Amino acid sequence: MTDEADIPEDHPRYQSLLTRHRIEEGVEKGITSKQGLIAEGRGESFDYLIGEETIPSADEAERAAAARLLLADHAVLSVNGNVAALVPGEIVSLAEATGADIEVNLFGRTEERMRAIADHLREHGAENVKGLAADARIPGLEHERGKVDADGIFDADVVLVPLEDGDRAEALAEMGKTEIVIDLNPLSRSPRTAAIPIIDNIIRAVPNVTRHARELADSTPEELEVIVAEFDREAALDDAERAIRDI
Ligand code: ATP
């Protein structure tokens, strides 16, 4: 396999090549599952249709997400195998910029993969990685899939769930959590459940939420609340769907 540094940055498909490289490496390191490879393929096709760029409504969602994370009493960034492979350092930076916790949360949970992901995040600078205690449950989900940390996702008021499956996104919303979902498919159940759906590639979205959070760091709670209130989730979903249909 080639090294990341060997991918020429001026290649017209640079971002797509980088994404594939990171996912492939994720599978080899035992971080990303085979299901995750399929999810990546679905994501790529939607990204192609969206134009492989952050559309303006997605940027607005990313700004609203930053404001909501800064307003949270306890925000948690949920990390699965694709997220860990694609944006490990970027998730650590977002946690630092917003004061959020990081929790590993897997669809197909195995202790081995949980540990591999936690180690990978620590290699990228994470100090405290939650998810391994698994001492609480999300009601309404079968045993393994509902496992979370009591002082992590279970306790959180705001959860960022990138690339989450629809069932769990719905179950978290049922618990009264404010969900921020990153997903390239505006028709998927998870972004449709979210208070703030971000229809963008996670590779672009996470650094952009961090940039907004840094810019908003000195804002008052009132100013942040205005940004959140002005964000229109239906308009953002419609806009992304239009961008895909009007290609
Ligand atoms: P649902 O149950 O919500 O309908 P699904 O079955 O479509 O979900 P999966 O196939 O489990 O969901 O998850 C993959 C989702 O993640 C897809 O919607 C895909 O568009 C999205 N996705 C994959 N890669 C990325 C990425 N790099 N950035 C953002 N979204 C992505």
Side-chain angles (χ1 to χ4, degrees):
M1 189 174 53
T2 52
D3 198 79
E4 196 165 289
D6 295 338
I7 306 171
E9 276 188 47
D10 59 353
H11 191 288
R13 310 289 322 274
Y14 173 74
Q15 208 175 53
S16 164
L17 292 178
L18 182 68
T19 304
R20 286 183 190 179
H21 175 82
R22 288 191 182 174
I23 284 285
E24 196 186 338
E25 207 172 50
V27 173
E28 279 176 12
K29 283 188 177 169
I31 290 170
T32 309
S33 66
K34 287 182 188 161
Q35 286 282 334
L37 271 181
I38 298 168
E40 170 58 28
R42 294 180 78 164
E44 263 197 47
S45 54
F46 282 104
D47 205 17
Y48 185 87
L49 294 170
I50 276 180
E52 295 178 340
E53 61 176 12
T54 301
I55 59 175
S57 54
D59 184 59
E60 278 169 32
E62 284 153 9
R63 189 158 178 266
R68 193 64 194 85
L69 287 168
L70 290 170
L71 280 168
D73 289 329
H74 181 194
V76 175
L77 315 179
S78 175
V79 173
N80 65 19
N82 285 45
V83 178
L86 292 174
V87 285
E90 292 84 345
I91 282 285
V92 174
S93 299
L94 178 57
E96 279 165 8
T98 58
D101 281 336
I102 297 175
E103 178 161 341
V104 183
N105 205 252
L106 301 182
F107 183 85
R109 184 187 173 99
T110 67
E111 288 313 310
E112 210 181 344
R113 216 148 69 76
M114 292 293 291
R115 261 197 307 277
I117 292 175
D119 288 346
H120 187 65
L121 290 167
R122 287 191 200 103
E123 277 165 30
H124 285 83
E127 278 169 16
N128 189 3
V129 180
K130 295 187 189 288
L132 296 158
D135 47 0
R137 299 279 174 280
I138 306 171
L141 290 180
E142 48 124 327
H143 191 73
E144 280 305 298
R145 292 188 46 216
K147 283 183 173 175
V148 285
D149 277 16
D151 64 352
I153 289 178
F154 190 81
D155 174 68
D157 58 337
V158 180
V159 192
L160 174 85
V161 277
L163 283 54
E164 183 58 277
D165 82 295
D167 283 355
R168 204 153 42 187
E170 279 173 8
L172 286 170
E174 284 281 308
M175 283 178 86
K177 317 256 177 230
T178 298
E179 276 185 282
I180 303 167
V181 167
I182 302 173
D183 194 314
L184 275 158
N185 179 3
L187 301 173
S188 184
R189 274 184 303 155
S190 332
R192 297 206 157 263
T193 308
I196 304 181
I198 298 175
I199 311 301
D200 198 4
N201 194 322
I202 190 173
I203 277 210
R204 297 186 297 268
V206 172
N208 204 30
V209 178
T210 305
R211 181 179 65 81
H212 282 299
R214 291 192 178 129
E215 279 172 17
L216 295 171
D218 297 327
S219 306
T220 63
E222 292 73 25
E223 286 166 337
L224 295 174
E225 271 156 20
V226 169
I227 294 170
V228 173
E230 283 179 350
F231 173 71
D232 183 340
R233 60 181 299 284
E234 299 298 332
L237 289 167
D238 287 350
D239 191 63
E241 192 179 332
R242 208 172 311 116
I244 289 170
R245 290 192 192 278
D246 292 353
I247 190 170

